[in-house]
Amino acid sequence: MAEMRLPRYRSYFVNDPKLINLVLKERPSDFPKSELISASLASLLGRGVFVSNGALWESQRRIIDPAFEGGRLRHSFHAIQQAALDATTRITPNQIVDVEAQSSLIAADIIFRTLFSIPISNQIAADTYRDFKTYQRVQPLMNLGVLLGMRRIIPWVQSRKAKKAGRAIRHHLRHLTDLRRQQIEKNTAPDDLATKIMTTPDPETGACFSPEDMVDQVAIFFLAGHETSASALSWALYLLALDPECQERVYAEVSKAATGDRLEFSELSNLAYTRNVFKETLRLYPPVPMMVRETSAPEILRERAVKVGSQVVLSPWHLHRHERLWDRPDEFDPDRWDNAETKRCARDAYMPFSNGPRVCPGAGFAMIEGVVLLYWLVKTFEIQQADDVPPIPVAHLTVRSKDGIRLRFIPRR
Ligand code: HEM
């Protein structure tokens, strides 16, 4: 644990599995989401599930979670597969491809298809995506400055631009949710995530999301579900390009995984090695590099007195590369996921989707998405490094590369 003493508060960087379990699993309500982080996201997320706490958050999860249950994921699977197929036709073969930009587009396409049954080529989807890119550029969300108590390092003009982009995104999303509400009333709504979430009442109170609540939630699905998946896909493709032997094993697996032209949901179980590649990518490059909580009461952490309102920073990045917990932590080794020792270690030291009650509701969805995308991309292309310059990971909202990731996609036949 490291302590940072700042003029206005203290920040504690915690990397001990016992303490992480305390914060995320044993006493999560004593360590709510940090107000500092929530405030910087308010213009986009309103009171959405990512930033809310207490009874409001509990009710939101009771409505959202059923949409992501195992059985429902079958519905999303077909939309994900269609987006993956379209992606294979969009990538320019044999040329240098900026993989992060491509992955971002693919992941945004998947979110629109699974939430609203529209592809990214739809005008509102394209406008939302454009404004979202502006928002990301001007709003360095997980900015270290926030944690270090230097909020003013975000210039005023920049934060005004972020607010404007946040409002524009919400305007598009409101339009989409209004349209969907009308379709639900007329019984013509498609059976997708938006319909499921808008028509599910909280089993305890009987209340459904109001139109404004729904905009808050859709904004977070878009933010949390698209940036993260895009980051994971970019790093997975980079790791495969670095390791041709591993890539050939994935290719061998995908070549015999499906009996027909398309992959069936039930055939996902034939892709165990591809899944291991994705899991190992999430270990080495966890898309959410850190999570921030706040103490709601005085605490003693590793024999240190911690005051109310202190920031507690948890870092999947550091935990996943902890030398005392992992064997060869910096090595890319998908096979490690087949041994019992890794599985035991992962219980306490692997949290790409967080842990405890606030665990990512989209985790199951994201694992299917990652495997399906690797299935189609590796089946269609041999992925090669385009230059020898290794990408430098940096923590933005998600783990991105400082100067991009450039790869070549060579058609297999
Ligand atoms: C590889 C992909 C993904 C990763 C690595 C990821 C990771 C995470 C992590 C670490 C958190 C906890 C953040 C915190 O507590 O500060 C989180 C929360 C969340 N994620 Fe994901 N996520 C992914 C994909 C998705 C998808 C596809 C969706 C939805 C479509 C989604 C929706 C959410 C939501 C709504 C929350 C807030 C949950 C709460 O606070 O109760 N995520 N995610």
Side-chain angles (χ1 to χ4, degrees):
M1 185 174 89
E3 178 179 10
M4 281 169 283
R5 293 171 180 234
L6 300 153
R8 287 174 34 235
Y9 57 86
R10 291 196 186 158
S11 204
Y12 294 84
F13 175 89
V14 167
N15 203 34
D16 170 355
K18 252 204 228 141
L19 282 186
I20 294 172
N21 275 342
L22 176 83
V23 173
L24 293 179
K25 289 189 192 162
E26 287 165 30
R27 289 175 31 219
S29 52
D30 293 338
F31 297 92
K33 280 269 170 121
S34 155
E35 284 286 330
L36 280 175
I37 300 291
S38 310
S40 70
L41 292 167
S43 69
L44 178 62
L45 300 185
R47 306 184 310 159
V49 64
F50 194 81
V51 290
S52 60
N53 283 310
L56 175 63
W57 169 79
E58 281 171 24
S59 164
Q60 291 170 337
R61 287 291 298 241
R62 286 195 294 268
I63 296 176
I64 287 167
D65 285 355
F68 291 94
E69 274 164 9
R72 293 281 316 171
L73 291 177
R74 276 172 192 273
H75 290 258
S76 300
F77 171 78
H78 296 291
I80 293 173
Q81 175 150 238
Q82 190 54 52
L85 274 160
D86 286 3
T88 60
T89 61
R90 225 174 15 235
I91 289 174
T92 318
N94 304 314
Q95 305 292 314
I96 296 180
V97 172
D98 171 0
V99 170
E100 288 184 317
Q102 273 300 332
S103 301
S104 179
L105 191 66
I106 298 170
D109 191 23
I110 289 177
I111 281 294
F112 278 111
R113 284 174 193 265
T114 50
L115 257 178
F116 286 111
S117 303
I118 53 173
I120 192 75
S121 51
N122 171 288
Q123 192 58 50
I124 305 178
D127 290 348
T128 312
Y129 182 58
R130 181 202 58 219
D131 290 329
F132 188 74
K133 280 199 289 189
T134 310
Y135 183 85
Q136 277 173 298
R137 216 174 33 247
V138 293
Q139 173 71 307
L141 297 169
M142 286 297 181
N143 188 310
L144 269 181
V146 172
L147 304 177
L148 299 174
M150 305 184 308
R151 262 196 294 175
R152 289 202 187 92
I153 65 167
I154 302 172
W156 180 77
V157 178
Q158 210 172 332
S159 86
R160 259 192 52 163
K161 279 190 189 159
K163 280 194 185 128
K164 197 170 157 212
R167 277 197 301 271
I169 297 168
R170 289 182 67 88
H171 173 79
H172 303 312
L173 298 180
R174 194 168 293 115
H175 185 70
L176 286 172
T177 50
D178 285 351
L179 274 176
R180 177 51 55 88
R181 199 163 296 280
Q182 289 162 18
Q183 289 173 319
I184 291 170
E185 276 158 14
K186 288 190 211 141
N187 247 336
T188 56
D191 184 14
D192 52 21
L193 289 175
T195 300
K196 174 73 181 158
I197 294 168
M198 287 170 86
T199 54
T200 302
D202 175 346
E204 285 191 13
T205 66
C208 285
F209 283 141
S210 72
E212 205 54 20
D213 289 340
M214 194 56 203
V215 175
D216 292 349
Q217 308 311 341
V218 173
I220 185 54
F221 290 139
F222 193 70
L223 181 81
H226 135 258
E227 256 290 288
T228 47
S229 299
S231 161
L233 178 64
S234 303
W235 290 108
L237 295 174
Y238 168 67
L239 289 167
L240 287 177
L242 271 192
D243 189 339
E245 203 182 304
C246 162
Q247 191 178 152
E248 282 316 298
R249 281 180 67 187
V250 174
Y251 181 61
E253 186 173 79
V254 303
S255 303
K256 53 182 188 349
T259 45
D261 286 350
R262 293 200 176 200
L263 189 64
E264 294 299 324
F265 188 76
S266 60
E267 290 167 340
L268 281 171
S269 56
N270 299 337
L271 292 164
Y273 183 69
T274 309
R275 194 178 160 87
N276 283 353
V277 166
F278 196 65
K279 272 174 110 171
E280 182 69 344
T281 304
L282 294 176
R283 185 183 69 80
L284 281 173
Y285 296 94
V288 178
M290 57 193 158
M291 299 176 271
V292 192
R293 300 291 190 265
E294 206 166 270
T295 48
S296 62
E299 297 283 347
I300 305 284
L301 303 180
R302 285 180 83 102
E303 294 168 17
R304 270 183 236 203
V306 174
K307 288 188 192 157
V308 180
S310 298
Q311 304 297 294
V312 178
V313 182
L314 314 174
S315 165
W317 178 280
H318 290 85
L319 186 68
H320 293 178
R321 291 173 182 254
H322 199 311
E323 290 182 353
R324 271 180 260 150
L325 302 173
W326 292 93
D327 179 30
R328 298 164 290 113
D330 294 326
E331 223 173 274
F332 174 61
D333 175 14
D335 286 322
R336 75 170 76 231
W337 290 98
D338 282 333
N339 79 53
E341 178 54 25
T342 303
K343 286 179 188 152
R344 195 203 52 75
C345 165
R347 274 203 293 273
D348 280 339
Y350 184 68
M351 53 169 190
F353 297 107
S354 184
N355 261 325
R358 277 206 101 125
V359 69
C360 171
F365 178 105
M367 286 307 297
I368 292 176
E369 180 182 13
V371 171
V372 172
L373 287 170
L374 291 182
Y375 173 89
W376 280 107
L377 291 172
V378 175
K379 197 176 161 82
T380 316
F381 301 106
E382 184 188 333
I383 301 152
Q384 296 178 353
Q385 274 183 282
D387 53 41
D388 292 336
V389 188
I392 301 170
V394 283
H396 287 295
L397 164 60
T398 54
V399 174
R400 287 304 175 116
S401 158
K402 186 161 166 276
D403 302 306
I405 301 176
R406 283 167 297 280
L407 301 175
R408 251 182 246 280
F409 291 74
I410 316 293
R412 294 249 179 209
R413 40 184 120 86

